[in-house]
């Protein structure tokens, strides 16, 4: 894992208050070569995006999972891979986010708001998220971003440890209960592909135990930003990646921010997605994870 927690001065609502965000510092790795990868799709936020998370759906509805994007002004936007139009869902200011999946296609997210207050929001399936009462959350927690959302669980960091919490939604309130299981506190830079022949997708309708077992048998890839741009590492090998033009999709000359998830997002993105912002612009390029891994690390590299 590559360490990453830096205090950055990025504006809240009035562009004057510092907030703490995860960014990708340059790791000490050697790039063996550079590979061209075509952009799959793209998004056009009106602001610079600094963090992302997923509020998933499962099965045939995976394409309607919400990709949540946090801007540098603290606003929160939502989109999906079926009709990638951004919608403002929270005017903020928000300083951190973490999505979760319950069951039966019920999902939502936790948001850190003013004065470090943490609130819970549930997807109403009507194009918006409603705030719901939240119980059982200790003070001083930080948000993680796992490679995939395990049903009914969320991993959070505490001042001196990491803890997995079970999620229970009853009587219109969300209750968290600590369940220590050693789950890593992800930093949204890794994705996994299964080794099973003909299958690359981690299926959200599986149980948490089945997902954990599938992750343990998967190939792991890590994305990060160097001064030269995007790089992807698999095992001990790291390669530079240049995002070139896809079908009617412009590439990027420089890559400055990345987010990766293994969460199945339907169709082209059923093995997850990597988001890349660059060129000192707000536009975000989307690349399907299975295509990214297959192109950067060809079969004889694995």
């Amino acid at each position: 894992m590559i360490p990453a927690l830096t205090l950055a001065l990025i504006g809240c609502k009035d562009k004057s208050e510092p907030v703490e965000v995860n960014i990708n510092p340059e790791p000490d790795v050697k790039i063996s070569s550079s590979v061209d990868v075509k952009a799959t799709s793209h998004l056009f936020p009106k602001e610079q995006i600094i963090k992302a998370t997923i509020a998933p759906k499962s099965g045939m509805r995976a394409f309607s999972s919400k990709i949540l994007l946090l801007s540098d002004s603290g606003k929160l936007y939502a989109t999906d891979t079926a009709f990638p139009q951004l919608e403002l869902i929270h005017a903020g200011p928000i300083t951190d986010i973490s999505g979760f999946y319950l069951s039966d296609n019920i999902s939502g997210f936790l948001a850190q708001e003013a004065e470090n207050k943490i609130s819970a929001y549930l997807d109403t399936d009507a194009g918006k998220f409603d705030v719901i009462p939240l119980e059982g959350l200790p003070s001083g927690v930080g948000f993680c971003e796992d490679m995939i959302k395990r049903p009914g669980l969320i991993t959070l960091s505490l001042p001196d440890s990491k803890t997995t919490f079970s999620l229970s939604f009853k009587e219109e309130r969300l209750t968290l209960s600590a369940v220590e299981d050693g789950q890593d506190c992800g930093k949204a830079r890794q994705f996994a592909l299964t080794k099973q022949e003909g299958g690359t997708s981690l299926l959200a309708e599986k149980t948490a135990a089945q997902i954990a077992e599938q992750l343990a048998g998967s190939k792991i890839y890590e994305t990060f930003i160097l001064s030269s741009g995007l790089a992807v590492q698999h095992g001990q090998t790291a390669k530079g990646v240049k995002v070139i033009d896809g079908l009617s999709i412009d590439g990027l000359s420089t890559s400055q921010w990345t987010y990766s998830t293994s969460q199945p997002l339907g169709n082209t993105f059923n093995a997850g997605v990597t988001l890349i912002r660059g060129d000192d612009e707000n536009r975000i390029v989307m690349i399907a994870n299975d295509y990214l891994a297959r192109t950067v690390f060809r079969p004889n590299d694995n």
Side-chain angles (χ1 to χ4, degrees):
M1 295 296 293
I2 298 169
L5 189 61
T6 299
L7 186 64
L9 292 177
I10 52 175
C12 286
K13 200 168 186 179
D14 60 1
K15 298 280 184 179
S16 63
E17 298 179 24
V19 297
E20 196 173 78
V21 298
N22 286 320
I23 65 173
N24 299 323
E26 184 159 340
D28 183 19
V29 295
K30 183 178 180 180
I31 300 300
S32 63
S33 60
S34 182
V35 181
D36 290 348
V37 174
K38 293 182 179 179
T40 307
S41 185
H42 54 180
L43 303 168
F44 292 90
K46 295 180 180 179
E47 302 181 83
Q48 186 175 107
I49 300 303
I50 59 171
K51 191 162 187 179
T53 191
I54 305 294
K57 303 295 182 183
S58 66
M60 297 299 292
R61 297 192 59 198
F63 67 90
S64 63
S65 300
K66 295 300 183 183
I67 302 173
L68 305 177
L69 302 170
L70 179 62
S71 77
D72 59 353
S73 70
K75 294 183 178 68
L76 189 61
Y77 298 86
T79 188
D80 56 44
T81 60
F83 305 100
Q85 301 295 319
L86 272 73
E87 179 184 1
L88 178 67
I89 60 171
H90 198 303
I94 291 175
T95 58
D96 210 348
I97 50 174
S98 182
F100 60 79
Y101 178 79
L102 295 175
S103 62
D104 301 324
N105 283 309
I106 299 174
S107 61
F109 66 93
L110 300 182
Q112 188 174 55
E113 303 182 63
E115 299 179 351
N116 294 324
K117 175 187 176 183
I118 294 179
S119 301
Y121 292 83
L122 209 64
D123 188 350
T124 65
D125 249 359
K128 65 176 183 176
F129 288 81
D130 287 344
V131 65
I132 56 174
L134 175 62
E135 295 181 348
L137 187 68
S139 60
V141 300
F143 292 164
C144 305
E145 188 63 19
D146 299 329
M147 287 185 286
I148 193 166
K149 305 295 184 184
R150 298 170 298 160
L153 297 173
I154 190 169
T155 305
L156 301 170
S157 64
L158 298 172
D160 56 358
S161 65
K162 60 181 182 294
T163 300
T164 295
F165 290 84
S166 66
L167 300 165
S168 174
F169 181 62
K170 296 179 180 179
E171 297 179 354
E172 300 302 316
R173 66 181 59 245
L174 185 69
T175 302
L176 278 70
S177 302
V179 181
E180 186 65 49
D181 72 347
Q183 180 73 14
D184 286 339
C185 191
K187 297 297 182 183
R189 291 190 303 274
Q190 290 184 320
F191 66 89
L193 297 179
T194 69
K195 296 180 181 179
Q196 298 172 7
E197 184 177 354
T200 56
S201 174
L202 292 156
L203 302 178
E205 63 266 27
K206 292 186 176 182
T207 66
Q210 288 173 324
I211 289 174
E213 181 179 358
Q214 195 171 4
L215 280 172
S218 297
K219 296 179 179 180
I220 306 298
Y221 301 83
E222 185 156 12
T223 64
F224 47 86
I225 300 295
L226 300 174
S227 57
S228 57
L230 179 68
V232 179
Q233 183 167 348
H234 174 53
Q236 300 302 312
T237 303
K239 296 186 179 184
V241 175
K242 181 180 179 181
V243 183
I244 63 174
D245 296 350
L247 183 62
S248 302
I249 306 294
D250 291 339
L252 293 170
S253 298
T254 60
S255 299
Q256 297 157 322
W257 170 87
T258 182
Y259 165 86
S260 294
T261 178
S262 304
Q263 197 70 43
L265 299 175
N267 302 324
T268 302
F269 300 100
N270 206 41
V273 67
T274 292
L275 307 180
I276 307 149
R277 190 194 72 228
D279 293 346
D280 293 319
E281 296 179 350
N282 295 334
R283 187 175 73 99
I284 291 176
V285 166
M286 306 170 68
I287 300 179
N289 283 345
D290 50 352
Y291 163 70
L292 177 61
R294 184 176 66 247
T295 303
V296 178
F297 296 94
R298 300 185 184 279
N300 60 346
D301 294 331
N302 292 279

